[in-house]
Structures are given as structure tokens and as C-alpha cells.
Amino acid sequence: MPERPDIRLTPDEQAAFLRNNRKCALATLDQDGFPHLVAMNFAVRDGAYYMTSYGKAQKVLNIRRNPQVALMVEAGSAYAELKGVMVRGHCELLEGPESVNRVFAWMAEDRGEARSPDSARSAPKRVVLKIVPTKTVTWDHSKLGGRY
């Protein structure tokens, strides 16, 4: 049986994929140990993933209890097109409007857009989620060359 092709993204491919795909699924664990999964926008800086949330949101309450999280960025429709990045890591909560505004600015910069004036108004009620990866897994099914 032939060896399966290496379908991992190279570091350059991963960086390009994350630049072009700014929505992820963030998984936290609820008080009963069940996954709590939400869609989030993110920015990547120095190997860490950053996003913002209202401080009273369920995901933030879950992180305060247990900082172990996972996130997945994925794209593609047909099996042969599936591509993604899955990260497991620890989430640190950064408090304060200056941290929130910095992440809002990064996200706007990454989209090539001006920052929304509404974002500054919500900053005092928000926190930053800084996810430092402990494990990253990537895949690009197009590298299978039709073998699946």
C-alpha cells in the first residue's frame, strides 16, 4: 500500500491561510465539561491568537474556570478542498480597554479596513482572549491528489 501524502500546511502556507481566513470556531468547556463552541474573528501576532469578547459572555466564564481551549479555522466545501488549522492552547484573559482597542485595531488592519467607531464604545465591557498554542495541527486535502 502506498504511503499517504503529507497533507500538512507548510509554515508559509499556514500563514497565508490564516491571513485569508479570519473566522474560527472557538471551543471552551462549560461547567459540566461539555464543549461550548462559538464563531469568532481573530488576529494572529507573534504566534498567539487574539480575539475579543464581552466579559460576561459564557465563553469568558468558561475560560475563567478552565483556560484550556481549542480553535479551528477551516475552509473548503468538497472533501478534496478541505483545508484547516486546529490549535489547542491556554487562554489568558487580558483586561482593560487599551488591550481591547489594540486587538480591534489589529483586526481592522488585517482586513485592510478602517476601524469601526462603534468598537471603542464597547471596549470597556470587553476582554481580550489571548490563546497561546500548545499544539497545532494543519491539513490540506488537495495534497492527497485524489487519493481518499
Side-chain angles (χ1 to χ4, degrees):
M1 175 177 236
E3 193 173 307
R4 181 179 171 148
D6 184 355
I7 63 170
R8 293 175 292 188
L9 297 171
T10 66
D12 288 343
E13 290 169 336
Q14 180 178 331
F17 179 75
L18 293 173
R19 273 193 306 276
N20 293 322
N21 295 276
R22 293 292 177 190
K23 181 180 74 173
C24 71
L26 172 68
T28 61
L29 294 173
D30 73 12
Q31 64 188 7
D32 298 319
F34 284 93
H36 176 82
L37 198 59
V38 294
M40 299 288 289
N41 291 311
F42 67 92
V44 180
R45 294 293 185 281
D46 298 322
Y49 294 75
Y50 293 85
M51 49 198 78
T52 72
S53 175
Y54 284 102
K56 293 183 178 182
Q58 185 63 54
K59 63 187 151 295
V60 174
L61 298 176
N62 293 343
I63 291 165
R64 289 188 193 285
R65 245 188 333 271
N66 182 344
Q68 292 179 310
V69 301
L71 65 87
M72 182 178 72
V73 183
E74 55 86 22
S77 295
Y79 186 82
E81 300 168 351
L82 296 179
K83 188 181 288 193
V85 174
M86 189 272 299
V87 171
R88 289 183 185 164
H90 289 20
C91 184
E92 177 184 351
L93 296 173
L94 308 176
E95 313 270 347
E98 57 285 334
S99 295
V100 173
N101 284 322
R102 181 173 44 249
V103 172
F104 276 146
W106 288 343
M107 290 176 163
E109 176 186 314
D110 291 349
R111 289 189 310 268
E113 299 174 1
R115 195 170 140 209
S116 165
D118 294 334
S119 63
R121 284 195 288 275
S122 70
K125 297 178 183 178
R126 290 181 166 271
V127 296
V128 169
L129 287 63
K130 177 184 178 185
I131 300 165
V132 177
T134 55
K135 180 177 183 175
T136 301
V137 177
T138 66
W139 60 92
D140 179 354
H141 287 185
S142 71
K143 293 181 177 185
L144 289 170
R147 290 181 278 171
Y148 32 85

